[in-house]
Amino acid sequence: MRVAGRQDLLLLAGLAAAAVIVFSTPISRLLDYARDIERESGLALVPALILLTGVYIVHQLRKRHQIQAAAAAAETAQRDAERRAQEFERLVAFGHALARSLDHDSIRGAIAQHLARLAGTDQVWVLLRQGTEWEALAGDTRGAEEVIERQEMATRLANGAAGGDTQGIGFPLIVGGTTTGVLGVRPPPGGLAPDQQRALETAAALLAVSIKNAQLFREVRENSLRDPLTGCVTRAHAMEVIDAELRRARRSQMPVSLIMFDLDHFKEVNDRFGHLCGDAVLAAVGKRMRDVLRGSDLKCRYGGEEFLVLLPETPLHGARRVAETLRREIADRPVAWSGEALTITASFGLTQAMPGEVNIEAIIARADQALYRAKDEGRNCVRIASDGLALVGDERKQG
């Protein structure tokens, strides 16, 4: 902020000239008086007065310049403080948004909402490390060459190299000394200011912690939803998934089939070999299910040695083939225990959801009835619920 402008200087000059004119007579008398004193005393008063006046004027001018410089410095400091305060507020807002984010989708939303303002550009992207590969979390990934360049930058950053290239500037996401991802920014024209770089470094640290927390939360949640022995989901979670799948099938008019199976004579295994052996058998069955079934198929430990499998977009004849394959996989691959090979068999019951059906209990009840019929008819076999027999017959005719 300027203390005096050009118009102010002109005004001061005018006032000085006016003062000289107004006080010309007193000044003239003063100079005459000074000359009289000089003659009487021999002192050079007039030159001294002129010198003092010049020194005073120079001092005032220097003082004015110092005031102007101090005012300009204060204005600059105020602007810097306001900018830092704004950046701090943005970082706090970003941190709050990340604190509420417990999955990648919500983290992605926080990045879209806050990170562009911190970087001063919307050209921001985030890659996460998945083993030896890089997975895009945020940012435009439509250009194949651009994606490759970003991944190469991320790899260099993870290996400790500098973080700048044609794709911009990279900031590693480090947790526990390990680079888990990279935050990249393509700077706006003029580049990133030092305070923006510092803000992005802080944002990268916040983002790294948030991503790690989301990973831990996902692991805890998955562990709480899965049976640790077999790797199948728990019964309570299975009911939620089945309900959602049935409603989706009602909208899409796609078939959904359900398999229930029970291990034959499992109590005898526990009684003869102990519960540790029973646990080994259950774990082996869980592995057989993962080997045979699709990733999209729901695998549930329904209770004890009873299991439930939901097959989305699968008609009854397809479910029967899956059940037969799983039955053979269990029966033909004995479980090794204490030097013995234990042959385990299972009985299967199948049903298919009726068009538009969303009653979970009714569907499970039909599969359970078919399962008990399989046990009554010799075990180690597959049986279809009575409401599905006609459907299978029609499928055979069509085939």
Side-chain angles (χ1 to χ4, degrees), residues 288-295 297 299 309 311 322 326:
R288 306 286 191 274
M289 294 172 69
R290 291 191 297 274
D291 292 342
V292 171
L293 301 173
R294 301 172 299 183
D297 297 333
K299 299 167 277 290
V309 178
L311 304 173
V322 172
L326 184 57

Side-chain angles (χ1 to χ4, degrees), residues 237-288:
H237 181 58
M239 296 302 102
E240 296 178 4
V241 176
I242 293 173
D243 179 70
E245 193 62 40
L246 291 176
R247 295 181 186 280
R248 187 177 73 87
R250 184 173 64 176
R251 294 191 300 269
S252 63
Q253 298 298 306
M254 296 297 291
V256 176
S257 295
L258 188 73
I259 301 173
M260 290 196 72
F261 70 92
D262 187 271
L263 302 184
D264 299 328
H265 308 296
F266 184 72
K267 185 176 183 302
E268 296 179 6
V269 173
N270 281 330
D271 292 343
R272 179 180 176 185
F273 298 99
H275 287 85
L276 291 179
C277 178
D279 289 347
V281 169
L282 292 172
V285 171
K287 185 177 185 306
R288 306 286 191 274

Side-chain angles (χ1 to χ4, degrees), residues 193-264:
D195 51 354
Q196 283 182 312
Q197 292 198 35
R198 289 192 297 269
L200 288 172
E201 289 173 357
T202 304
L206 293 173
L207 186 57
V209 173
S210 179
I211 291 172
K212 184 63 176 180
N213 288 341
Q215 177 185 349
L216 294 175
F217 178 79
R218 183 175 63 251
E219 292 174 357
V220 170
R221 186 174 183 274
E222 289 180 354
N223 290 337
S224 68
L225 299 178
R226 291 188 179 277
D227 169 44
L229 188 59
T230 63
C232 299
V233 301
T234 61
R235 179 172 176 170
H237 181 58
M239 296 302 102
E240 296 178 4
V241 176
I242 293 173
D243 179 70
E245 193 62 40
L246 291 176
R247 295 181 186 280
R248 187 177 73 87
R250 184 173 64 176
R251 294 191 300 269
S252 63
Q253 298 298 306
M254 296 297 291
V256 176
S257 295
L258 188 73
I259 301 173
M260 290 196 72
F261 70 92
D262 187 271
L263 302 184
D264 299 328

